[in-house]
């Protein structure tokens, strides 16, 4: 079948990791007889360089015309890049937040899974990593502190900066439903993470999640404070199935969860709205320090492409094949520098992509 896929190369390592993910998608097309038409879209620093702004109407409209969008990463070195001389609303990150909001991508799925093969790269104690883990962080993506009113002003001669954290029950309900729906297809456990001992927004969060849970009697719901969750993730990650949480907590916990898988270079993500459409990107940043050096791990982006196949195109078999190819390459001992361990073969970005594409074709 034919599909239209938007491609945002982005900044830093973005172009090279997307190039490898496209190789994997092209291999899927060749093997299963699909046809993908790619349309390149500008976002972040790459858009600033051309249009002076990190996101244009043109990019939003083009993305809406696609079945799904695959993205690399955006942003540069905040100390040296001229993009960070611009006011905050015109910097690369504002483009990413803008497209998430414009496309109503409220549900951010970030799976963190410990591959047997990567146990040596896992920074946790052996007795903890031995239990393995397989969790999915369901992060709310279009509300909370990221999108609340903010200002910096002078009050009585003192500079004061304010950010607002607010959630409506509608926003909480729709993300909670997503978490429970996905838990039904997994191990039927949802751990909702909040700070209900301090925050009003968390108290409402907890109440609405409890209400939604009534429609899912098979799913075991638990609640956890975010500080405790940060600790549990390194103490006993095996306890988690679906972690449901708000935007900022999800940002922080997903970096932590990704690192315990061995490297942030392994964590894929899908950002979905109420339709089949989704934006797929690795959870990591643009790593400008290693950009263009063939060092970046393309696996998070390749696994994001697998999520694209599964969630936006309903191509489950193809998604499974792609994920199996990644696992196979890890089994064969190929590693990029970030996940390298003794006895393995170190490869660059390009070779890792070639190897995975070749295994898909087998
Ligand atoms: C992420 C990133 C973004 C976020 C940044 C780049 C704005 O850290 O996708 O996790 O905070 O959401
Ligand atoms: Mg983040």
């Amino acid at each position: 079948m034919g599909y239209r896929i938007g491609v945002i190369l982005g900044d830093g390592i973005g172009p090279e990791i997307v190039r490898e993910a496209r190789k994997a998608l092209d291999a899927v097309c060749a093997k299963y007889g699909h046809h993908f038409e790619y349309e390149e879209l500008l976002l972040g620093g790459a858009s600033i360089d051309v249009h002076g702004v990190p996101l244009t109407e043109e990019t939003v409209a083009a993305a809406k015309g696609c079945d799904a969008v695959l993205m690399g990463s955006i942003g540069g070195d905040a100390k040296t890049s001229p993009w960070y001389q611009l006011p905050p609303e015109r910097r690369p990150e504002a483009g990413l937040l803008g497209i998430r909001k414009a496309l109503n991508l409220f549900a951010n799925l970030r799976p963190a899974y410990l591959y047997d093969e990567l146990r040596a790269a896992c920074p946790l104690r052996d007795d903890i990593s031995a239990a393995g883990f397989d969790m999915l962080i369901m992060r709310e993506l279009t509300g909370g502190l990221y999108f609340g009113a903010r200002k910096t002003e002078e009050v009585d001669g003192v500079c004061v900066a304010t950010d607002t954290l607010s959630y409506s029950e509608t926003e909480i309900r729709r993300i909670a439903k997503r978490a429970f729906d996905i838990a039904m297809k997994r191990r039927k456990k949802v751990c909702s993470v909040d700070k209900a001992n301090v925050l009003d927004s968390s108290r409402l969060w907890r109440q609405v999640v409890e209400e939604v849970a009534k429609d899912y009697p098979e799913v075991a719901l638990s609640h956890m404070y975010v500080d405790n969750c940060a600790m549990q993730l390194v103490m006993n990650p095996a306890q988690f199935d679906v972690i449901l949480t708000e935007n900022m907590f999800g940002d922080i916990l997903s970096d932590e969860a990704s690192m315990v898988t061995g490297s942030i270079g392994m964590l894929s993500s899908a950002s979905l709205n109420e339709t089949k459409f989704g934006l797929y990107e690795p959870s990591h940043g643009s790593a400008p320090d290693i950009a263009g050096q063939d060092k970046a791990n393309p696996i998070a982006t390749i696994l994001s492409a697998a999520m694209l196949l599964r969630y936006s195109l309903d191509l489950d078999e193809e998604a499974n094949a792609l994920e199996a190819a990644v696992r196979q390459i890890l089994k064969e001992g190929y590693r990029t520098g970030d996940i390298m361990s003794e006895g393995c073969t170190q490869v660059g970005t390009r070779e890792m992509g070639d190897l995975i594409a070749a295994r898909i074709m087998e």
Side-chain angles (χ1 to χ4, degrees):
M1 263 192 66
Y3 299 97
R4 191 171 185 78
I5 311 292
V7 175
I8 298 171
L9 298 175
D11 313 316
I13 57 170
E16 51 199 302
I17 54 181
V18 170
R19 181 192 65 213
E20 300 314 315
R22 269 192 58 173
K23 264 185 208 163
L25 286 177
D26 288 342
V28 164
C29 283
K31 178 151 182 184
Y32 293 91
H34 300 301
H35 177 71
F36 289 173
E37 214 167 284
Y38 296 102
E39 179 174 2
E40 244 182 69
L41 312 176
L42 288 177
L43 185 77
S47 174
I48 296 174
D49 289 346
V50 177
H51 299 295
V53 289
L55 174 64
T56 57
E57 285 299 323
E58 199 183 325
T59 287
V60 172
K64 283 183 177 162
C66 294
D67 294 297
V69 174
L70 177 69
M71 184 183 131
S73 46
I74 55 99
D77 184 335
K79 283 202 196 91
T80 56
S81 163
W83 300 328
Y84 295 89
Q85 305 296 320
L86 296 166
E89 65 280 5
R90 284 179 50 204
R91 292 179 194 162
E93 287 73 10
L96 180 58
L97 300 188
I99 200 167
R100 287 173 178 170
K101 194 70 169 179
L103 301 173
N104 195 26
L105 304 171
F106 65 89
N108 183 219
L109 284 60
R110 297 188 164 185
Y113 176 81
L114 182 63
Y115 287 87
D116 276 348
E117 294 77 16
L118 291 189
R119 225 155 251 180
C122 172
L124 301 179
R125 257 190 358 239
D126 287 351
D127 59 313
I128 299 174
S129 65
F133 57 83
D134 176 4
M135 71 184 95
L136 182 118
I137 297 182
M138 177 67 79
R139 168 188 177 194
E140 200 290 327
L141 202 60
T142 52
L145 273 174
Y146 276 63
F147 293 95
R150 65 178 103 258
K151 63 179 174 202
T152 303
E153 61 190 337
E154 215 177 275
V155 181
D156 299 332
V158 178
C159 191
V160 179
T162 309
D163 298 282
T164 319
L165 169 48
S166 111
Y167 268 105
S168 73
E169 53 182 314
T170 320
E171 288 174 303
I172 302 168
R173 191 165 291 116
R174 66 180 181 178
I175 188 76
K177 279 190 182 153
R178 278 297 170 93
F180 282 95
D181 282 339
I182 211 141
M184 285 297 290
K185 295 186 189 156
R186 294 174 48 102
R187 302 194 307 280
K188 300 195 171 67
K189 276 165 55 174
V190 170
C191 177
S192 174
V193 172
D194 62 36
K195 189 71 186 169
N197 48 350
V198 178
L199 303 175
D200 261 21
S201 55
S202 282
R203 285 187 272 270
L204 181 64
W205 182 278
R206 210 173 256 228
Q207 184 191 319
V208 174
V209 171
E210 295 266 352
E211 283 165 23
V212 172
K214 290 188 186 131
D215 295 332
Y216 298 84
E218 283 178 59
V219 177
L221 170 67
S222 59
H223 300 279
M224 193 178 275
Y225 295 139
V226 62
D227 47 350
N228 184 24
C229 183
M231 182 179 80
Q232 297 292 335
L233 277 172
V234 291
M235 210 173 77
N236 178 14
Q239 70 185 287
F240 295 111
D241 179 15
V242 175
I243 292 179
L244 162 65
T245 194
E246 64 91 48
N247 203 346
M248 179 79 153
F249 297 159
D251 179 45
I252 298 168
L253 295 175
S254 62
D255 264 30
E256 188 187 359
S258 69
M259 196 55 224
V260 296
T261 67
S263 165
I264 193 163
M266 296 297 297
L267 198 79
S268 56
S269 97
S271 304
L272 309 173
N273 59 22
E274 302 278 14
T275 71
K276 279 268 155 211
F277 178 86
L279 173 73
Y280 299 83
E281 51 166 324
S283 297
H284 60 70
S286 59
D289 53 319
I290 56 162
Q293 297 171 35
D294 198 43
K295 282 185 184 159
N297 183 350
I299 293 182
T301 318
I302 292 173
L303 293 174
S304 300
M307 291 182 94
L308 181 156
L309 296 170
R310 178 172 294 120
Y311 292 112
S312 284
L313 311 186
D314 282 324
L315 299 175
D316 279 348
E317 191 186 338
E318 289 81 342
N320 291 340
L322 205 161
E323 287 165 355
V326 170
R327 184 179 289 268
Q328 178 61 28
I329 284 306
L330 294 175
K331 208 169 270 168
E332 290 174 29
Y334 294 105
R335 303 281 187 273
T336 42
D338 57 316
I339 49 174
M340 183 61 188
S341 53
E342 227 185 294
C344 293
T345 312
Q346 188 160 339
V347 296
T349 312
R350 194 180 284 276
E351 193 176 351
M352 182 55 98
D354 286 341
L355 286 162
I356 292 169
R359 292 303 172 277
I360 294 170
M361 294 302 293
E362 276 171 6

